[in-house]
Amino acid sequence: MSARIFQTPKSAMQSGKAKTDTWVLEFERSEALRPDPLMGWSGSGDTQSQVRLTFPDKDAGKAYAEKYGIPARVHSTPAKGLKLQAYADNFR
C-alpha cells in the first residue's frame, strides 16, 4: 500500500491561487479497475484508493506516512515562472 504526496494544483476553472497551498496524500491503486457487467461502470474492490488526506505542508504529510509505515513518494511542484509579454510582441 504505497502513497504519493503532492501539492494540490490550481483548477482549470480558477484564475486565483485559492486552495493551492495544501498537500495531499493519496494511496495508489492495489488492483486494476474492471467494468461492472450490468452497468458498465468501472470499479474495483480497492477502498484505499478512495482515501484522500490533506495536510498544511509537505513535512506534515511525510511525517504522517513515516509514523504509520506508509511508503510514500513526494511529487514536488515545479517552479512557476511568469511569461511577460506585451501586446506588440504579437506583431513581430
Side-chain angles (χ1 to χ4, degrees):
M1 155 173 93
S2 61
R4 65 185 187 116
I5 300 171
F6 61 95
Q7 192 172 14
T8 53
K10 172 173 97 159
S11 169
M13 299 302 293
Q14 77 185 94
S15 61
K17 296 181 181 176
K19 298 183 182 177
T20 58
D21 56 345
T22 60
W23 288 79
V24 177
L25 184 139
E26 278 186 346
F27 292 98
E28 295 177 355
R29 294 194 179 276
S30 62
E31 66 180 61
L33 293 175
R34 59 185 185 280
D36 182 46
L38 180 62
M39 297 297 290
W41 296 340
S42 59
S44 70
D46 181 22
T47 58
Q48 283 288 15
S49 63
Q50 299 172 3
V51 177
R52 184 179 169 109
L53 303 172
T54 58
F55 298 97
D57 57 355
K58 176 174 55 173
D59 296 329
K62 286 170 51 176
Y64 179 86
E66 289 175 4
K67 179 180 178 183
Y68 290 102
I70 301 168
R73 291 181 292 131
V74 177
H75 296 276
S76 59
T77 307
K80 296 179 179 145
L82 292 176
K83 181 180 177 185
L84 299 176
Q85 183 176 359
Y87 180 70
D89 293 340
N90 294 334
F91 303 103
R92 291 184 185 173

